[in-house]
Amino acid sequence: MDAPRWIETGSGPRGLLFLHGVSGGAAGALDILPRMTPPGWRGLAWDMPGYGFSAPLDPLSFDTLAGAVADLLDAAGLDSAVLVGHSMGGMIALQTAVRFPERVAGLVLACCTPAFGAASGAMQKAFLDRRLGPLDDGASMRELAIDVIPTMVGPGGEAEVVHDAVDLMAQIPPDSYRAAMHALVRFDQRAALSTLEMPALVLAGTHDTVSTPQVVHRMAERLPLATYRELDAGHMAPFEEPEAFAAEVRGFIAGLDNLPVTGSR
């Protein structure tokens, strides 16, 4: 399969890769990507398989998504990169770090958790009913987005943030969204957290009701080399507070003094 498609900014031998959430896409990073990419670095943002211009995966699982990240790095000529993952993208970053630790120079995990709730199945079913039930009843992706996106923004979130996020989610093929949601509820990498030896920055939104600060903070405590920060935002923190988010990412990258320069593969 071809590597996922991506957008890119900057140039240099070192790279960071932004992995969007289940409701996003590469186009959503057009503003934030240049902000958080330091001079002398390449900043990339993918379309997750099945989203935007990237071909779908069959089957879609976190393991195949981690493989797609590695394929993208190969196609971009990067031996490793700092992975900046938001929401489901943070989970993909974690899975990639577990499966391909040599490809991950650092982790930025924003508004994500190391597992999706309890393993009983009741929470998963309720979540899928809320997120996929409207599609089953004939709603469009735009109608679903209009219902879901406002609940993920903090009290200070601007209307433009909601508008742009709705437009982005409306473009996701329903089948791709369904596949991603079914993968999401099966995710669990809690047992692996203590084994990850790369530096990590863990960012929470103070007003996030999806990935609450308490849960995100507990994840940070279990990562050996993690720094925890909170932003005055909801679940859409990278887009609600782009300057603050980018400053945190750039500060984290500046601290990676021993990050090796990666050449073309």
Side-chain angles (χ1 to χ4, degrees):
M1 189 194 112
D2 292 338
R5 300 288 294 275
W6 70 87
I7 61 172
E8 184 168 339
T9 188
S11 62
R14 297 173 176 174
L16 68 84
L17 172 60
F18 182 77
L19 306 169
H20 62 78
V22 71
S23 302
L30 286 170
D31 177 67
I32 189 70
L33 189 62
R35 295 178 190 245
M36 64 183 176
T37 303
W41 282 63
R42 291 171 65 193
L44 293 76
W46 82 344
D47 275 322
M48 186 169 75
Y51 283 53
F53 294 99
S54 293
L57 281 172
D58 186 18
L60 183 81
S61 68
F62 276 89
D63 206 40
T64 59
L65 286 167
V69 171
D71 289 344
L72 186 154
L73 295 179
D74 287 344
L78 292 168
D79 292 326
S80 65
V82 173
L83 302 185
V84 182
H86 173 238
S87 192
M88 184 177 178
M91 296 174 171
I92 296 169
L94 273 175
Q95 185 80 16
T96 305
V98 171
R99 186 176 172 197
F100 305 107
E102 74 282 359
R103 310 301 302 268
V104 182
L107 285 170
V108 179
L109 306 173
C111 304
C112 75
T113 59
F116 188 92
S120 65
M123 180 180 178
Q124 285 87 336
K125 184 178 185 305
F127 182 77
L128 289 176
D129 286 346
R130 289 196 305 273
R131 292 297 184 94
L132 298 182
L135 295 180
D136 294 338
D137 293 336
S140 67
M141 283 299 297
R142 178 169 293 278
E143 289 168 329
L144 179 62
I146 290 170
D147 182 54
V148 168
I149 293 296
T151 69
M152 298 194 291
V153 177
E158 298 180 1
E160 184 178 359
V161 172
V162 174
H163 178 272
D164 290 348
V166 166
D167 278 351
L168 191 60
M169 184 174 172
Q171 299 172 36
I172 301 169
D175 287 347
S176 295
Y177 184 76
R178 288 178 186 276
M181 294 298 291
H182 282 288
L184 180 65
V185 298
R186 297 182 177 92
F187 181 73
D188 190 345
Q189 283 293 352
R190 287 173 291 189
L193 293 177
S194 63
T195 71
L196 298 178
E197 299 179 350
M198 65 284 294
L201 171 65
V202 179
L203 297 173
T206 301
H207 310 288
D208 189 349
T209 59
V210 180
S211 303
T212 65
Q214 294 84 355
V215 174
V216 178
H217 190 218
R218 286 200 296 270
M219 176 178 67
E221 290 178 326
R222 296 174 65 182
L223 289 162
L225 298 176
T227 299
Y228 175 80
R229 297 279 191 269
E230 279 188 29
L231 300 177
D232 185 18
H235 190 65
M236 305 293 286
F239 313 105
E240 295 175 61
E241 295 291 339
E243 286 290 351
F245 182 86
E248 290 287 358
V249 174
R250 290 176 70 144
F252 170 70
I253 289 175
L256 299 178
D257 294 331
N258 297 319
L259 181 65
V261 173
T262 60
S264 299
R265 293 180 70 80

